[in-house]
Amino acid sequence: MLNHVVRKMMAQRICVYQFTRLLSSSPNIPQLMEKFKPLITDRLVHETGVSAVLKLTDSAWTLDLRDEGTIKEGADETADITLDMNNEIFFQLIDGSTTTAAAYMSGQLKLEGNIMQAMKLSSLFKNMQSAIAEEAK
């Protein structure tokens, strides 16, 4: 489904904001998370060292960049931080139209835990941006 959406976006020259709106209206978070799993490398785990829960509009995901280097559905109670946001803000983080700092400062992202650990996730979001860009080619 994501391939279809990206091709459609390219054919119609849809802007990033419209792409975000299109993604946020469709239930493809699990597909995106599957696509992002290979992005969790040993180097990223070593550099980040954070376990985070992403609480989205209708799902929660655990990003273990501390021990296992995994992305899995569900909230792990032992995570270092929890980022609570709606799907649209998540898509804006991965398409590069906002940052964790900007979303937090504007109140669109709620944080439980250390803000400095949350900022460490920016490299993962940049990797996600690259994966989306590659998909669009």
Side-chain angles (χ1 to χ4, degrees):
M1 175 163 177
L2 182 61
N3 292 338
H4 172 72
V5 170
V6 170
R7 284 191 192 107
K8 185 175 181 180
M9 179 187 85
M10 297 280 293
Q12 296 178 359
R13 299 177 195 257
I14 296 175
C15 72
V16 170
Y17 178 73
Q18 290 169 317
F19 177 58
T20 300
R21 301 278 301 159
L22 181 61
L23 282 176
S24 65
S25 66
S26 53
N28 56 15
I29 296 284
Q31 291 173 359
L32 281 173
M33 292 301 183
E34 281 300 316
K35 183 171 291 303
F36 296 149
K37 283 181 180 181
L39 302 177
I40 309 298
T41 63
D42 289 341
R43 180 178 177 189
L44 184 65
V45 171
H46 176 73
E47 290 174 355
T48 309
V50 174
S51 178
V53 170
L54 297 180
K55 286 187 180 178
L56 304 176
T57 303
D58 51 5
S59 63
W61 295 84
T62 299
L63 310 177
D64 183 351
L65 305 177
R66 178 183 57 200
D67 300 319
E68 299 174 24
T70 59
I71 298 176
K72 57 186 171 189
E73 192 165 8
D76 182 345
E77 299 299 320
T78 65
D80 300 318
I81 58 173
T82 299
L83 302 173
D84 190 349
M85 69 194 98
N86 64 36
N87 289 357
E88 187 169 337
I89 297 304
F90 175 68
F91 290 125
Q92 288 176 12
L93 286 171
I94 62 174
D95 76 12
S97 61
T98 194
T99 63
T100 50
Y104 175 75
M105 297 301 264
S106 67
Q108 297 173 317
L109 181 148
K110 293 171 184 61
L111 171 68
E112 293 176 29
N114 185 317
I115 192 167
M116 294 311 292
Q117 288 182 319
M119 294 303 149
K120 290 180 179 181
L121 294 177
S122 62
S123 37
L124 176 62
F125 292 132
K126 285 181 182 171
N127 289 346
M128 290 175 171
Q129 291 168 23
S130 299
I132 292 292
E134 285 297 316
E135 185 71 29
K137 288 183 181 178

